[in-house]
Amino acid sequence: MNYTEKLDAALANLHDEGRYRTFIDIERTRGQFPHAVRVREDGSEQPVTVWCGNDYLGMGQHPEVLAAMHEALDATGAGSGGTRNISGTTVYHKALESELSDLHGKESALLFTSAYIANDATLSTLPKLFPGLIIYSDALNHASMIEGIRRNGGEKRIFRHNDVDHLRALLAADDPAAPKLIAFESIYSMDGDFGPIKAICDLADEFDALTYLDEVHAVGMYGPRGAGVAERDGLMDRLDIINGTLGKAFGVLGGYIAASEKMCDAVRSYAPGFIFTTSLPPAVAAGAAASIRILKTDSGRREQHQTQARVLKLRLKGLGLPIIDHGSHIVPVIVGDPVHTKVLSDMLLDTFGIYVQPINFPTVPRGTERLRFTPSPVHGPQEMDALVSAMDELWSHCALNRAELSA
């Protein structure tokens, strides 16, 4: 076997399809976000404005978050020193889990190193706790949910995206006595549409199913205290397990589930993805807890974020660009071709200093390739004007002329 040849073929396939992903080296400067510096391969530097980050509210730069991290770092050192079971549980981890359980109105919360791991570990463990469990999964669920469901070895059913009637039919077709769980998201990050939380909770009550809601792209940004869409809609008490992240709106790192004390205890005791993973550094836990505390009362930041998203959508629509708008903070501009999407992304960066990565298959279906903009409260009028002007120029002269784009 010529292993190098196989690697070359696999990478060449991505290049041929225009789906090869390149990393842009950027250096963030504290207090300057969304402004950063791009470091080119030749060592030269270019000022850029980041328009594709998931630090939705700029909390990764918040002085109180940084102060909490500095204090914990000075007090404890860099790492946690082990898994949660072996010396890796500190007062900072417990305080963070307490903040999270309070945020979501649940008895308990359980920290993971990322929301991906939280989804994967929890969903792959649940059939061990509920033998014969059938998981009903929305067709557009995140890869982490899909992977966890795939690996658990149990039965699964895929219902059409946000199609409650299809979900009902699948539930009705299965053994009424079988344990069931419905896994879905509150906001789907690529199109920005909302999951029908109440309707799914109603079905769960009717068919005696557990509910598992991924609020990764909503925590911090929706609801009176930033607990997510379920809080906004007054539905948190109807959800059995809520998954969230600390790496997006909260601006730090990590993931978690919030649920009943017994549910969290069982996952803690059985999930390999929790048991065998070194815990978050105490400084990270301290920063995340500070961010949550701040956002529980900072509704103004959330309101400003929503305003920025509405303004950007309105202005891009005014240019005639194909925007998907479901009323959330996600701003996708559909290009529809991986090569053209990459060229637009490169031109925005090289010519205008605007950094937005192309989104291609398998993250989105083929033919729906896009640029996904993430406005924040710290993107001011000047940054907004620069982006709209650049998109106007590029779309007018290039995006509608694919031959020119490909040249």
Side-chain angles (χ1 to χ4, degrees), residues 88-321:
T89 295
T90 70
V91 294
Y92 298 97
H93 297 87
K94 298 302 291 184
L96 175 53
E97 288 175 337
S98 178
E99 288 287 352
L100 289 166
S101 61
D102 173 75
L103 177 68
H104 291 288
K106 298 299 182 186
E107 293 178 342
S108 188
L110 191 64
L111 280 173
F112 293 81
T113 51
S114 72
Y116 187 107
I117 298 299
N119 272 334
D120 186 1
T122 303
L123 288 168
S124 63
T125 298
L126 289 175
K128 300 176 186 176
L129 307 175
F130 307 103
L133 179 70
I134 304 172
I135 297 182
Y136 302 80
S137 176
D138 187 284
L140 293 188
N141 275 343
H142 189 266
S144 58
M145 302 174 75
I146 294 171
E147 182 64 14
I149 294 168
R150 184 189 67 80
R151 290 198 309 106
N152 68 30
E155 292 290 322
K156 65 177 183 292
R157 312 282 186 259
I158 311 300
F159 61 93
R160 290 186 293 269
H161 178 52
N162 281 350
D163 191 332
V164 178
D165 291 336
H166 187 214
L167 173 58
R168 168 185 283 281
L170 293 174
L171 288 162
D174 282 320
D175 181 356
K180 302 174 178 66
L181 178 139
I182 306 170
F184 62 111
E185 300 184 37
S186 62
I187 298 179
Y188 291 84
S189 63
M190 289 300 109
D191 285 354
D193 54 332
F194 293 88
I197 301 176
K198 182 181 183 302
I200 288 178
C201 287
D202 289 344
L203 282 180
D205 289 346
E206 181 180 347
F207 289 93
D208 191 26
L210 296 170
T211 48
Y212 186 105
L213 178 66
D214 181 308
E215 288 258 38
V216 161
H217 288 274
V219 289
M221 296 175 288
Y222 294 81
R225 298 201 308 160
V229 178
E231 183 195 29
R232 183 197 70 178
D233 296 347
L235 298 168
M236 283 198 301
D237 61 319
R238 301 188 64 187
L239 295 154
D240 295 292
I241 304 173
I242 295 174
N243 168 273
T245 184
L246 305 169
K248 291 183 170 60
F250 294 126
V252 192
L253 174 71
Y256 63 89
I257 60 168
S260 69
E261 185 175 354
K262 288 184 178 180
M263 181 70 78
C264 288
D265 193 21
V267 173
R268 177 189 71 84
S269 301
Y270 281 87
F274 177 86
I275 296 171
F276 298 105
T277 300
T278 298
S279 64
L280 291 172
V284 171
S291 183
I292 294 165
R293 284 194 296 270
I294 294 165
L295 288 178
K296 282 178 179 177
T297 59
D298 193 353
S299 59
R301 190 178 294 257
R302 281 187 283 279
E303 292 167 3
Q304 188 179 3
H305 179 238
Q306 293 293 321
T307 297
Q308 291 291 80
R310 286 193 295 270
V311 169
L312 181 58
K313 288 178 183 179
L314 184 63
R315 295 188 65 178
L316 292 179
K317 286 178 184 178
L319 300 179
L321 273 61

